[in-house]
Amino acid sequence: MTTRKALITGITGQDGSYLAELLLEKGYEVHGIVRRSSTFNTSRIDHIYEDPHELNAKLFLHYGDLTDGQNMTNLVLNIGPDEIYNLGAQSHVRVSFDSPVYTVQTVGLGALNILEAARQLNTEKQVRVYQASSSEMYGEVSETPQNENTAFHPRSPYACAKVYAFHQTVNYRNAYDLFACNGILFNHESPRRGETFVTRKITRAAARIKLGLQDKLYLGNLDAKRDWGYAKDYVEGMWLMLQHHTPDDFVLATGETQSIRQFLDYTFDHLEIDWQQHVEIDPRYFRPTEVDLLLGDASKARRELGWEPKTSCIELAQIMVDHDMELAKQEAIQKSLAE
């Protein structure tokens, strides 16, 4: 039996690292694209190279940049993947207001570059493409909960770029008979989430506060509500979309929503701390245009893909803060040795 090949953009990110693990466990040969920089940024996948089962023997990394269309085409045609997962992006919503052009180049045009490369490969062998869409596309929502038919009303440069990428994916599917799917994923977090994202910012700070390494946590809008799931559950949904008999678009979500205040409760209660003694509001973290409520309806994914979220938001918060407690303990040890 021929080993299937997968290409992952954004393999060094949260989702990319979990997806790489999943595909390697399923016997894939996995290729990942990383941007060349003066420092290594592979910390989320470094452990794969130490895997005792030698899964790393099927993991290959390539330098590339989503904004370089010719580079993407060359890589796709040379690797010849059976599946492409486009997860790479400037993915921080607040940052997209400060760097709108770069965000649009990586998120919007980057997706188009991948689709065009896949179209060319598809003339030689069938390739299946997963495009990472986002619940941020719904923005100022027209209905709750949101499903695959809910209208988009994006409220950030990031969300606008994601809407462009979504429609290009649908267009390439219809125009070129390309097996291309949009996964409209609601917020999904993990211990591998970047520390500038609000959930990880909270769990990291809570652990450091518990050990006396910091006293205050500064946040923006505490009333924003999100549908939070576990990234490790969601990458399975990505894979299932590309195993489906026909290409389509699917929402992945838990169907439950919590405010940032509730996430603070889950996190600080787990460490037996009163967050209200430590959290202060900083206007710098407010967005120019806010998205107040996102709540997903994943009934289509349940029905057609058999996908189910396995981890509740409170369980997720505990997983994340337990991980960050270990990091904080190591930091405390290093601090004491330096004193």
Side-chain angles (χ1 to χ4, degrees), residues 212-242:
L213 296 169
Q214 75 179 70
D215 183 56
K216 295 294 183 180
L217 168 61
Y218 296 93
L219 297 172
N221 180 12
L222 302 187
D223 296 316
K225 295 182 178 180
R226 295 292 184 269
D227 184 327
W228 277 306
Y230 187 18
K232 196 169 184 179
D233 296 343
Y234 284 50
V235 298
E236 183 179 8
M238 298 176 188
W239 177 77
L240 287 169
M241 289 181 209
L242 295 197

Side-chain angles (χ1 to χ4, degrees), residues 88-151:
Q90 190 299 102
S91 60
H92 198 289
V93 176
R94 180 63 189 84
V95 170
S96 76
F97 287 99
D98 301 322
S99 302
V101 175
Y102 176 68
T103 299
V104 169
Q105 288 172 337
T106 59
V107 175
L109 295 181
L112 180 58
N113 287 334
I114 289 294
L115 289 165
E116 179 57 20
R119 181 190 68 81
Q120 294 186 42
L121 176 62
N122 208 50
T123 62
E124 303 173 10
K125 63 176 291 187
Q126 187 185 60
V127 59
R128 299 187 172 204
V129 180
Y130 171 86
Q131 168 59 28
S133 292
S134 168
S135 60
E136 287 287 332
M137 299 187 303
Y138 296 120
E140 189 174 359
V141 298
S142 58
E143 63 179 356
T144 299
Q146 296 88 51
N147 60 37
E148 293 82 3
N149 298 314
T150 302

Side-chain angles (χ1 to χ4, degrees), residues 165-218:
F166 176 94
H167 287 302
Q168 286 288 11
T169 301
V170 174
N171 182 56
Y172 268 69
R173 182 168 70 215
N174 295 334
Y176 303 114
D177 197 27
L178 181 67
F179 194 110
C181 302
N182 283 292
I184 308 173
L185 272 57
F186 281 65
N187 292 65
H188 47 290
E189 320 295 315
S190 76
R192 300 181 192 173
R193 189 60 140 153
E195 294 181 15
T196 60
F197 290 84
V198 67
T199 51
R200 185 75 195 289
K201 185 176 179 180
I202 289 170
T203 60
R204 190 83 173 94
R208 298 186 81 249
I209 289 169
K210 179 69 174 180
L211 297 185
L213 296 169
Q214 75 179 70
D215 183 56
K216 295 294 183 180
L217 168 61
Y218 296 93

Side-chain angles (χ1 to χ4, degrees), residues 275-289:
W275 64 263
Q276 298 190 53
Q277 301 298 314
H278 300 278
V279 174
E280 294 187 7
I281 302 301
D282 187 334
R284 292 179 301 171
Y285 295 118
F286 284 98
R287 301 180 187 176
T289 47

Side-chain angles (χ1 to χ4, degrees), residues 303-319:
R303 182 178 64 252
E304 297 190 21
L305 303 179
W307 179 83
E308 291 277 355
K310 303 180 180 70
T311 311
S312 69
C313 187
I314 189 169
E315 291 170 334
L316 171 63
Q318 291 171 356
I319 290 170

